[in-house]
Amino acid sequence: MSKTQYYCAMSLDGYIAESDDTLDWLMKYEGSYDGDDAESGKGKAGYEGFYEGVGALVSGSVTYEFVLDHLAEWPYKGKPCWVLSSRELPVPEGEGVDVRIADAKVPELYDEMIAAAGDRNLWVIGGGNVASQFVDEGLLDEVLVTVVPVVLGEGKPLFDRRLPGGPMQLTGTRTFDTGMVELRYEIRR
């Protein structure tokens, strides 16, 4: 059965982007940790392993525009991607690109997104507002956040508001040789 997962990177003080929506703090991070207990973030252990389990994606317009502005080509070919926005936005061209701009609420699209994911998972890319909408509707199953040891002081938070239902349940941790730590939480309902 498919899960809906919010997977992202976060600063040590809880921000997924700077106040101006930039990610320079993450893109330029080159830290390392060589302790015996560190795991390599390469191969199937990190992003690549997570992405193999993704069947469909959903994001907000700011995250979507960041991808369009900073990557040479669409990185999610072969997987449908919903962009929640009331604005008209450009859609990249090319084989395997399936971007759907939707001015709708999460519950109106959820069944379609899960069906498109098939036997894989739905990835909530971001931002915090989109993830909060899924939580508000009881439609988010897991939060996978990679904590980067950088302090921003201010920025865009992991979630836009307090989550209903009390604390999440920690289900796993993983340290990487870069100094980052992945935390995996299950949402309690």
Side-chain angles (χ1 to χ4, degrees), residues 151-172:
V151 175
L152 298 177
E154 64 181 5
K156 303 292 173 112
L158 180 66
F159 288 96
D160 274 7
R161 52 196 163 271
R162 185 181 191 135
L163 302 185
M168 294 181 272
Q169 176 66 47
L170 181 67
T171 60

Side-chain angles (χ1 to χ4, degrees), residues 56-75:
L57 308 92
V58 58
S59 80
S61 60
V62 172
T63 300
Y64 173 70
E65 289 176 309
F66 180 87
V67 171
L68 291 181
D69 291 345
H70 291 87
L71 299 176
E73 64 180 56
W74 185 246

Side-chain angles (χ1 to χ4, degrees), residues 108-176:
E108 297 169 22
L109 301 169
Y110 183 74
D111 289 341
E112 183 182 351
M113 290 186 283
I114 284 294
D119 61 350
R120 295 184 176 183
N121 299 318
L122 175 62
W123 176 16
V124 179
I125 299 175
N129 180 271
V130 173
S132 294
Q133 290 177 53
F134 274 84
V135 172
D136 289 347
E137 299 297 333
L139 299 173
L140 187 65
D141 299 306
E142 287 185 322
V143 175
L144 292 87
V145 60
T146 301
V147 179
V148 181
V150 170
V151 175
L152 298 177
E154 64 181 5
K156 303 292 173 112
L158 180 66
F159 288 96
D160 274 7
R161 52 196 163 271
R162 185 181 191 135
L163 302 185
M168 294 181 272
Q169 176 66 47
L170 181 67
T171 60
T173 63
R174 180 174 29 213
T175 57
F176 294 94

Side-chain angles (χ1 to χ4, degrees), residues 32-86:
S32 66
Y33 171 70
D34 297 322
D36 293 336
D37 58 341
E39 292 183 27
S40 173
K42 299 175 181 155
K44 303 301 181 206
Y47 172 79
E48 292 84 5
F50 168 79
Y51 189 70
E52 279 185 6
V54 171
L57 308 92
V58 58
S59 80
S61 60
V62 172
T63 300
Y64 173 70
E65 289 176 309
F66 180 87
V67 171
L68 291 181
D69 291 345
H70 291 87
L71 299 176
E73 64 180 56
W74 185 246
Y76 311 119
K77 290 180 181 171
K79 299 180 191 231
C81 179
W82 281 260
V83 179
L84 305 181
S85 181
S86 60

